[in-house]
Amino acid sequence: MLLLLTPTQGDSSSSDDSEQSLKIAQPLELTPKLSLQLKLHAFLLWCSVGFLMPIGVLLIRVTHTVKSAKSIKVLFYCHVASQIVAVVLATAGAVLSIRNFENAFNNTHQRIGLALYGFIWFQPLIGFLRPDRGVKTRSAWYLIHWLLGLGICVVGIANIYIGLHTYQERTGRSARLWTLLLTVEVAAMAFVYLFQDRWSYVVRQEEAALGDEQSEGSSIMYPANDHKEVVLVP
């Protein structure tokens, strides 16, 4: 009844909105070229936020349990390389999306993706501005860098799920297999992420037990030599 009482201009605007919503809800006609572009876009973003960025997080966490300076340096550079490649792939996926897809930003996947691209570029800038050890701002920098990196991984993976759901709605093609494979990968990475903390705890407990054994062994008093010494007199 309220719609009927609105002026004609309101009717035209509401009809335009309904036409736009119907246009959005209409199935997407997949041409071979568009299908290839969609698959390439999905692959690039999966490699970036769905694989390389979480792998980089896991690599840098390994350094907490490694004592060798050389191993820590190798893991750090692997972390940096994986994040740089991830940023490049995400940028390629964004360029592909802007040039070939409809960018009305009227759906959740596109809006989250737009915000995600900004944070993906902001994160490496924070990484390169890392303060030296012992500086007061080091703790604040570490907290921001860690939370932002973890947030990008979580939101990025969630947006991949949203993208698969949007692809299934717009094209009518099933994405259950890819959703299942992504879920298996995410579960495996989450297990490794949680296991790293427990493993470091186990390592610390073994080191503490070994230190106790060494201290007990050094505190044992052996009896003195009771044998008499024979001195040869020339």
Side-chain angles (χ1 to χ4, degrees), residues 126-187:
I126 296 178
F128 285 119
L129 297 176
R130 179 183 59 167
D132 296 331
R133 293 184 181 275
V135 180
K136 293 183 179 180
T137 56
R138 173 80 178 201
S139 299
W141 170 88
Y142 175 79
L143 184 62
I144 294 172
H145 188 62
W146 172 67
L147 288 175
L148 187 58
L150 195 62
I152 289 173
C153 292
V154 173
V155 176
I157 291 173
N159 203 33
I160 294 175
Y161 279 106
I162 296 173
L164 290 172
H165 180 70
T166 305
Y167 173 82
Q168 186 171 347
E169 281 188 344
R170 295 293 305 276
T171 63
R173 298 186 179 184
S174 176
R176 292 181 180 178
L177 177 61
W178 302 112
T179 304
L180 178 62
L181 293 176
L182 180 62
T183 303
V184 172
E185 180 210 349
V186 172

